[in-house]
Amino acid sequence: MNIPTNLKYTKDHEWISMDGSIATIGITDFAQSELGDIVYVEVESLDQTLDKDEVFGTVEAVKTVSDLFLPMSGEIIEFNEDLERNPETVNTDPYGKGWMVKIKVSDTSQWEELLDSDAYGKLIGA
């Protein structure tokens, strides 16, 4: 299981990276493997400000639909539009081209509350 050490994670299987006050968010390798073939990613929260743990979108796989939860509070400033045409990128490159949204973080202290790669690995039994 791929769990990059430079990212933080949530118990709901989202990953997050920070560059200043801008964060990039996606779902983990574990999450995409559990979901199976992803056929659609929906994010209707673009330009909205949401609190940590609020739903920012959904990911639809062949067998299920799952909510996507925001790891940190902030404004959704960008959606990965490539996922509209190629949602399967989340399966093939979840930590790279399969990212989902970028947010302008409103409370950077929430970073410390997230799981590091070791803690996430323990959570999923890796």
Side-chain angles (χ1 to χ4, degrees):
M1 194 61 50
N2 185 10
I3 307 172
T5 57
N6 62 318
L7 303 175
K8 292 276 195 154
Y9 302 89
T10 71
K11 62 180 177 16
D12 297 309
H13 311 291
E14 284 85 18
W15 62 262
I16 183 167
S17 67
M18 291 282 291
D19 184 8
S21 65
I22 305 300
T24 303
I25 299 164
I27 64 169
T28 65
D29 188 33
F30 174 81
Q32 69 78 23
S33 68
E34 291 291 302
L35 287 167
D37 293 337
I38 294 173
V39 296
Y40 189 67
V41 177
E42 181 177 51
V43 174
E44 293 185 349
S45 54
L46 191 61
D47 300 323
Q48 293 180 24
T49 299
L50 302 174
D51 290 330
K52 177 183 177 182
D53 297 328
E54 279 195 85
V55 173
F56 71 86
T58 58
V59 61
E60 182 177 339
V62 172
K63 57 184 177 182
T64 190
V65 175
S66 291
D67 287 335
L68 299 166
F69 299 95
L70 206 59
M72 296 175 73
S73 299
E75 179 186 359
I76 311 285
I77 58 171
E78 188 176 347
F79 168 63
N80 183 354
E81 293 180 3
D82 289 340
L83 297 181
E84 290 179 343
R85 294 178 299 287
N86 300 302
E88 68 279 359
T89 304
V90 175
N91 292 116
T92 59
D93 191 11
Y95 300 116
K97 293 179 182 176
W99 66 273
M100 295 181 173
V101 295
K102 293 190 179 188
I103 68 168
K104 183 171 180 158
V105 175
S106 56
D107 182 358
T108 56
S109 71
Q110 292 174 337
W111 177 260
E112 299 307 319
E113 300 167 17
L114 297 166
L115 304 173
D116 64 16
S117 59
D118 289 339
Y120 183 70
K122 287 178 184 152
L123 176 76
I124 63 170

